[in-house]
């Protein structure tokens, strides 16, 4: 018997080919994604022991790295936040991953109901997924908005500036500061304000004119659109695909327990989901790019991406001992060279942020 509050698994779905069949026959697919779908293009995830941002920051001296993404930390030390933000910025020449291309393909096949993404990298848009199909549960990096006067800084100005923040600290509002972020332009002496001018007046004054990214910080409400959209989707959806998320962060993780239990769930990730109450029908364990490529191939869908070889490479599918529905999926040939894992925070800087 499943524990109380635990969804009862749909026992008729357990194999890789069941996953393929579900994709083929479903017409209103909800896809819930996390940082794991962007790791292959050089953006680290948060919690993986090898390469995740939080373990990395821990090694660099932050006792509670998650705390850096709390709105209270931002409000007390925006400069510190902007110094570490650098480590999750997409590379300048970032390309979408095969998994983004797969989600776009699901859309092109008319089967995508909604992609609930926890990612702030906006690669969904870059992949061509229509904004009407996307809910950015944790916001997006851009645009920026002044926390004092609400002045918005468009993505095209804000994103390039974010790369400089590691050195120069938090971007400031030109309306409040009379100095456009990063422009280096000077303003008439009488009007010019120095950084830290308000330091003695308490943190509210100190933070005057700081630009905040469009990210949902811990302690802030997730996208307002999430709940009403989910309420609508629940009535229509016929498949839930969860890709590359540890499901550790509520309320997004609650989506799994909120949707009707008769809707089949497929979980694709490097690691098994250990969340209480979460019981996907089929778990496909391995690199999501490899898994979606194989799912698409078996479904007879043409998934095109520069990282996908023209001639399909064989994969092995091995069922975990003692289970029927958990399968380890591996490419038999070595995968294409991964973009280099980045750790862009110099030790000195983080040490000083932390102090
Ligand atoms: P996590 O880092 O918690 O989880 C990423 C998951 O993806 C892990 O389970 C990895 O094993 C898996 N993964 C990594 N690379 C993969 C790959 N190539 N193929 C398949 N799976 C892979 O990231 P999220 O679940 O997205 O919130 O984190 C949720 C939220 O926690 C983030 O949105 C962020 C963070 O704190 C805020 O900042 C508010
Ligand atoms: Zn302002």
């Amino acid at each position: 018997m499943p524990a109380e509050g635990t969804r009862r698994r749909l026992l008729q779905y357990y194999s890789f080919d069941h996953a393929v069949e579900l994709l083929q026959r479903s017409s209103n697919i909800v896809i819930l994604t996390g940082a794991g779908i962007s790791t292959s293009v050089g953006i680290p995830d948060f919690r993986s022991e090898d390469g995740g941002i939080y373990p990395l920051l821990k090694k660099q001296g932050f006792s509670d790295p998650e705390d850096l993404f709390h709105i209270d930390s931002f409000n007390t030390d925006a400069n510190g936040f902007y110094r570490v933000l650098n480590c999750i910025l997409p590379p300048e020449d970032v390309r979408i991953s095969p998994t983004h291309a797969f989600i776009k393909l699901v859309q092109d096949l008319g089967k995508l109901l909604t992609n609930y993404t926890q990612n702030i990298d906006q690669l969904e848009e870059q992949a061509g997924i229509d904004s009407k199909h996307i809910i950015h549960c944790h916001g997006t990096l851009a645009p920026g908005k002044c926390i004092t006067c609400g002045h918005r800084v468009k993505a095209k100005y804000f994103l390039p500036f974010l790369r400089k923040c590691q050195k120069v600290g938090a971007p400031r509002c030109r309306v409040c500061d009379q100095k456009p972020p990063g422009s280096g332009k000077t303003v008439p002496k009488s009007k010019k304000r120095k950084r830290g001018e308000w330091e003695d007046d308490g943190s509210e004054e100190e933070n005057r004119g700081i630009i905040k990214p469009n990210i949902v910080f811990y302690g802030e409400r997730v996208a307002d659109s999430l709940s009403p959209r989910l309420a609508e989707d629940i009535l229509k959806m016929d498949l839930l695909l969860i890709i590359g998320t540890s499901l550790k962060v509520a309320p997004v993780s609650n989506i799994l327990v909120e949707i009707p239990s008769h809707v089949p769930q497929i979980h694709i990730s490097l690691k098994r989901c250990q969340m209480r109450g979460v019981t996907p029908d089929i778990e496909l364990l391995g690199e999501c790019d490899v898994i979606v490529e194989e799912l698409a191939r078996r479904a007879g869908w043409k998934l095109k991406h520069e990282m996908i070889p023209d001639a399909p490479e064989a994969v092995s599918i091995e069922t975990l001992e003692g289970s029927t529905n958990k399968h380890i999926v591996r490419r038999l040939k070595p995968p294409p060279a991964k973009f280099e894992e980045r750790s862009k925070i110099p030790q000195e800087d983080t040490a000083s942020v932390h102090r």
Side-chain angles (χ1 to χ4, degrees), residues 88-144:
I88 51 168
L89 289 182
E92 261 174 276
D93 55 350
V94 70
R95 286 163 275 182
I96 61 161
S97 72
T99 303
H100 292 102
F102 175 81
I103 301 169
K104 165 75 162 54
L105 178 61
V106 174
Q107 168 184 279
D108 292 348
L109 292 165
K111 289 168 175 276
L112 181 64
L113 194 54
T114 306
N115 176 195
Y116 292 85
T117 177
Q118 297 167 88
N119 299 346
I120 55 171
D121 54 32
Q122 287 161 292
L123 290 182
E124 296 81 11
E125 280 83 356
Q126 197 168 318
I129 301 164
D130 198 314
S131 59
K132 70 175 187 241
H133 289 303
I134 309 173
I135 298 285
H136 286 288
C137 306
H138 294 163
T140 50
L141 277 168

Side-chain angles (χ1 to χ4, degrees), residues 146 148-151 173 175-176 209:
C146 172
T148 307
C149 74
H151 172 71
C173 169
V175 177
C176 291

Side-chain angles (χ1 to χ4, degrees), residues 33-40 43-50 52-54 66 69-70 88 99 117-120 137-138 215-219 222 243-249 252 267-273 284-291 338:
T33 47
I37 73 161
S38 298
T39 52
S40 66
I43 307 171
D45 69 9
F46 290 89
R47 297 180 177 81
S48 287
E49 278 310 316
D50 52 339
I53 295 155
Y54 293 154
E66 221 165 309
F69 292 82
H70 196 285
I88 51 168
T99 303
T117 177
Q118 297 167 88
N119 299 346
I120 55 171
C137 306
H138 294 163
I215 301 172
V216 176
F217 284 73
Y218 287 109
V222 289
I243 317 181
T245 170
S246 62
L247 295 168
K248 292 236 163 100
V249 178
V252 170
H267 186 218
I268 299 174
S269 192
L270 283 178
K271 297 246 168 75
R272 280 194 54 194
C273 171
L284 304 176
L285 307 170
E287 295 282 342
C288 54
D289 291 346
V290 173
I291 296 170
K338 264 188 149 188

Side-chain angles (χ1 to χ4, degrees), residues 315-328:
V315 297
S316 79
I317 300 172
E318 187 191 320
T319 305
L320 267 187
E321 213 179 305
S323 94
T324 50
N325 68 333
K326 299 171 187 47
H327 312 282
I328 301 171

